[in-house]
Amino acid sequence: MFVVLAVVLGGTLLAYSLGGPRHGRSAGAPSGHVVVDVSESHCGRGWTRPEPGVRTFDLHNSSDGAAEVYLEDPASQAVYGEVEGIGPGTTRQLTVRLGKGAYAFKCVPDDADAVTGPTVHITSGSRGPGAAPVTQHDLIPPALSYQKWVGGGLDDVVRLTATLKDAIDRGDLAAARSAWLPAHLEYERLGAAYDAFGDADRAINGTDAGLAGGVRDKDFAGFHRIEYGLWHGEAAAGLRAPAAALVKAVTGLRDSWSQTRMDPAQLGLRAHEILENTVQFELTGRTDYGSGSNLATSRANLDGTREVLSRLRPLLATRYADLPGLDKELDRAQHSLDGFRHGDDWTSLDALTRAQRERADSVLGDLVERLASVATLCDPRRTV
C-alpha cells in the first residue's frame, strides 16, 4: 500500500504518489525524475542536483525489507511528502513542490530504526506546505476526550431507545414512528466509534446486506429491522421482540463502554470515513427501510464529524493550512442539509429534485475530499 498525500498545487496536503511497484530497475530514470535509494545504509542517496519546482523522485528500495519514506525538513521534521509500504526491490514515485529550505529523506524500515539521509539545500523558490508529524502520543488526549463524549451519547441512546420500546409495547405505532428517528440519529452521531463497537454495531444498526432472507431474515435486527416494520404495516406484536433486543444491545454496549479502548491512531481516519460512508450509503438510499430519513441521518453524521474534528483541532491548527476552508465547507454542508428539514419532518431522497440531489451530492462529496487531508495529517508517523 502507498499513501497518496496530495496534489501540491491545491495547498491542502503535502505531496502525491504515482504508479505501482516497478521491480529492480537498472536503467536510468525518466527525464526529470531523480532516483533515490531507500535503505538503511544509503538512505536518500542519489539526489545530487537540488533544484526548485515540482520534482518527481523514484524511490527505489534496495534493502530486503519493506519501508516507508518521508521527505522532511531535518530541523523541524515537517513532512513534505510520504510514501508507505515500499517493498524490497520495488520503486514508488513521489512528486512534490520544492522551494527554498533544507530537505532530507527519512527511511523507516518496518523492523529497524529510522535513518535520515544527507541534507539537501535549495536556495530559491516557494515550496509546498509541510506538516509536523503526528505521533501516537499526540492522539491519546483527543481520543480519550472523544471516548468520554461517546459514553454520554450512549446514555442518551439507551434513554431514547427505551422510549421507542415503550411505545411499541403499548401498541402505539404512531408514537413509535415519532420515537424511532431521535433514537436512531443519536446513535448515528457516534460514528467514529463504530469500529470500537465491534459486533454490537451489527445488532444495533445492521442492514439486511448479506442476509439470505433479506428483510425477512431472522438475523435482521436493530434500528433498521424496527424501521422496516414500522413503515411497512407490521403489527406491534411482531416488533416487541426486536425492540427488546435493541434496548438490550444498546444497554450492554453502554455498560461495557468504560472498559473499551479506542485506537487513537484511527481518529483522523474516522473523521473522514463518517462522511465517506454517508455519501456511499445515505445519499444513495441504501439504508432507507421506509422512514425516508436519509437526509436526517446525513445531518447527524455531520454532527458526528464535527465532534471528532473538535478533538483534533489543536493538532490540525498548526498542520492543516486550509483548516478555515474546511470549516467553511462544514458550514455550507450544514446549511444545505438543514434546508431539507421541516420541523420534525425531513424531505426524503425520492422527493428531491434532480438539482437538489446533485447539490447535496456535490456539497458532501467536496467535504469528503477535504476530510481526506485530516486523515492523512493525523496518520501517526514514526520519528525514530
Side-chain angles (χ1 to χ4, degrees):
M1 168 184 172
F2 65 93
V3 172
V4 178
L5 278 179
V7 176
V8 292
L9 299 179
T12 59
L13 290 173
L14 311 179
Y16 61 89
S17 304
L18 299 171
R22 291 189 302 280
H23 298 272
R25 189 180 61 197
S26 58
S31 177
H33 289 218
V34 178
V35 179
V36 172
D37 198 321
V38 176
S39 66
E40 293 179 58
S41 57
H42 296 95
C43 179
R45 301 291 175 86
W47 188 13
T48 58
R49 297 179 59 189
E51 298 174 340
V54 177
R55 295 288 178 268
T56 297
F57 297 96
D58 291 343
L59 306 177
H60 180 69
N61 186 353
S62 61
S63 71
D64 57 2
E68 57 190 78
V69 177
Y70 311 144
L71 178 63
E72 64 179 26
D73 182 321
S76 68
Q77 291 192 316
V79 178
Y80 292 90
E82 170 186 355
V83 182
E84 290 185 352
I86 307 177
T90 66
T91 300
R92 302 283 196 195
Q93 290 181 0
L94 173 69
T95 299
V96 62
R97 187 176 67 212
L98 304 174
K100 185 177 181 179
Y103 301 88
F105 282 100
K106 176 177 284 185
C107 303
V108 188
D110 282 355
D111 300 313
D113 293 338
V115 177
T116 301
T119 299
V120 171
H121 296 274
I122 294 178
T123 58
S124 64
S126 176
R127 63 184 176 184
V134 170
T135 66
Q136 186 95 357
H137 181 76
D138 294 329
L139 291 166
I140 291 175
L144 290 175
S145 173
Y146 181 75
Q147 186 161 343
K148 182 178 179 180
W149 176 81
V150 169
L154 287 172
D155 285 337
D156 292 335
V157 173
V158 170
R159 174 178 54 81
L160 292 168
T161 305
T163 300
L164 169 63
K165 176 181 178 297
D166 289 344
I168 291 173
D169 284 346
R170 65 176 184 268
D172 189 345
L173 296 186
R177 283 189 287 272
S178 296
W180 182 87
L181 186 58
H184 185 238
L185 296 184
E186 192 62 33
Y187 183 78
E188 286 283 347
R189 292 188 182 95
L190 311 179
Y194 286 174
D195 188 61
F197 289 168
D199 292 339
D201 182 58
R202 177 78 182 180
I204 295 169
N205 207 35
T207 69
D208 68 330
L211 299 179
V215 296
R216 306 292 182 186
D217 198 284
K218 63 180 179 60
D219 291 327
F220 183 35
F223 279 113
H224 292 303
R225 164 65 181 89
I226 296 171
E227 177 189 9
Y228 182 82
L230 287 174
W231 274 273
H232 286 83
E234 187 172 355
L239 292 172
R240 288 183 180 124
L246 176 59
V247 170
K248 180 179 180 181
V250 296
T251 302
L253 179 60
R254 189 271 313 270
D255 293 347
S256 64
W257 183 245
S258 63
Q259 304 302 315
T260 304
R261 291 294 177 264
M262 292 184 62
D263 181 359
Q266 298 295 311
L267 204 56
L269 179 62
R270 301 300 174 218
H272 173 247
E273 286 185 342
I274 293 172
L275 288 186
E276 185 179 48
N277 289 340
T278 300
V279 171
Q280 182 179 2
F281 297 106
E282 302 304 333
L283 293 188
T284 60
R286 290 169 62 182
T287 53
D288 181 15
Y289 287 87
S291 67
S293 60
N294 288 105
L295 292 171
T297 302
S298 299
R299 180 64 172 81
N301 293 161
L302 186 64
D303 288 342
T305 300
R306 285 188 183 274
E307 287 293 338
V308 180
L309 291 174
S310 71
R311 273 75 185 174
L312 294 173
R313 185 167 292 274
L315 298 176
L316 294 172
T318 57
R319 292 173 170 86
Y320 188 12
D322 199 33
L323 187 56
L326 173 60
D327 290 334
K328 183 177 179 180
E329 287 299 309
L330 286 164
D331 291 340
R332 187 163 77 103
Q334 180 172 325
H335 177 74
S336 179
L337 290 172
D338 284 346
F340 301 123
R341 183 173 186 172
H342 315 284
D344 293 333
D345 297 323
W346 288 78
T347 304
S348 68
L349 289 176
D350 290 343
L352 295 181
T353 65
R354 180 174 179 176
Q356 288 175 320
R357 187 74 170 261
E358 290 176 348
R359 185 165 61 252
D361 290 345
S362 174
V363 169
L364 287 183
D366 289 347
L367 188 51
V368 168
E369 289 185 13
R370 289 179 181 270
L371 288 166
S373 306
V374 173
T376 299
L377 291 169
C378 293
D379 183 25
R381 294 177 172 87
R382 281 178 54 193
T383 57
V384 295

